[in-house]
Amino acid sequence: MNSYESKQEARRQRYLELAEKAEARSNAAFNGARDAVAGIPPGQPILVDHYSAPKHRAALKRHDQRMHRGVEEAEKAKHYRGKAADMDY
């Protein structure tokens, strides 16, 4: 293996590592999103005049933010895996 091929292999390995890290962050964000609304029954409306309304809204906001972060990280992982696959000749 010449120096060019070794550099290419190192780059491919780095892309695969970046993809794995992004995938781990994505899974953590999705798990966090699920945990953010774990205490709220599915379909439960926000009880507007109830003392729990601000907490309910905050939980929904945390869920939404973590889902967006999870999707972004999943797209990064897909991008890096694609770059690594493009280097296979």
Side-chain angles (χ1 to χ4, degrees):
M1 180 180 291
N2 61 29
S3 65
Y4 175 75
E5 290 172 343
S6 63
K7 286 180 184 179
Q8 288 295 94
E9 182 60 26
R11 181 179 290 169
R12 190 176 80 74
Q13 289 299 321
R14 189 171 65 243
Y15 285 147
L16 290 175
E17 289 173 11
L18 289 171
E20 289 176 14
K21 289 179 182 179
E23 192 171 296
R25 288 190 304 264
S26 173
N27 290 335
F30 286 137
N31 290 337
R34 186 183 64 238
D35 293 343
V37 293
I40 302 171
Q44 173 72 37
I46 297 175
L47 305 174
V48 179
D49 291 335
H50 198 260
Y51 71 92
S52 65
K55 290 181 182 179
H56 192 150
R57 285 188 183 96
L60 293 177
K61 185 176 180 180
R62 276 194 310 274
H63 177 266
D64 187 50
Q65 289 172 341
R66 292 174 183 172
M67 287 297 288
H68 281 292
R69 189 178 324 131
V71 169
E72 288 172 0
E73 292 296 333
E75 289 175 356
K76 280 184 190 178
K78 182 180 176 184
H79 171 75
Y80 287 129
R81 288 201 193 283
K83 286 181 76 90
D86 287 345
M87 296 181 77
D88 291 336
Y89 297 118

